[in-house]
Amino acid sequence: KETIKGALAEDSVVKVALLGGKVDFEDGTSAVLRTLDFEPMVEGKKYLLFLYANRNGSDVYLLTGGPQGLFELKGQAGIKAHARPNDPAVKEVQNLTEDSLREKVKDYARKWPESRECCN
């Protein structure tokens, strides 16, 4: 619905690759990667995502910092960080409301308006 920083148009469809999943092979076998500490996104819920463009040139975005880049916005119930419990992102949002988190992110975006490419 809203882009706080970056060039994505508001209300646009964004493809995001998440950790985990299943791959089916031509010979009928498959491989599954389960991520026990990472809950997937659920359709119908509201999230704040920190994303970066996939370096392989596709139109699929990736979560910045893996699970640290995913927060469920639960209205009056607050924020649910999808990071591991000991990650700093979890502690930083535990007493914030949805609106206060959004304002905090906007404030950071104003302080650091330019994105830098990482990890070449």
Side-chain angles (χ1 to χ4, degrees):
K1 288 198 169 246
E2 177 184 12
T3 300
I4 294 174
K5 182 176 177 179
L8 295 173
E10 291 185 13
D11 288 321
S12 62
V13 174
V14 179
K15 296 178 191 174
V16 179
L18 299 175
L19 302 171
K22 179 180 178 184
V23 176
D24 293 315
F25 300 105
E26 290 178 11
D27 66 359
T29 62
S30 63
V32 177
L33 176 62
R34 291 191 175 89
T35 53
L36 301 176
D37 292 335
F38 178 64
E39 293 180 44
M41 292 171 53
V42 176
E43 190 172 337
K45 292 189 177 186
K46 200 160 101 173
Y47 297 92
L48 173 68
L49 305 170
F50 290 85
L51 302 172
Y52 67 95
N54 197 330
R55 290 179 185 87
N56 69 7
S58 76
D59 62 346
V60 177
Y61 287 81
L62 304 171
L63 289 173
T64 302
Q68 294 181 60
L70 178 60
F71 298 86
E72 182 182 345
L73 306 176
K74 300 175 77 163
Q76 298 291 11
I79 310 297
K80 179 180 181 185
H82 281 242
R84 292 175 299 270
N86 60 344
D87 283 336
V90 174
K91 293 177 182 137
E92 191 161 339
V93 302
Q94 68 188 144
N95 295 317
L96 296 179
T97 65
E98 184 177 320
D99 289 337
S100 62
L101 175 60
R102 185 179 287 113
E103 287 307 311
K104 187 173 199 155
V105 172
K106 286 180 181 180
D107 186 45
Y108 280 126
R110 283 188 290 275
K111 287 179 184 176
W112 296 284
E114 296 301 317
S115 296
R116 293 199 176 120
E117 192 157 322
C118 168
C119 317
N120 292 327

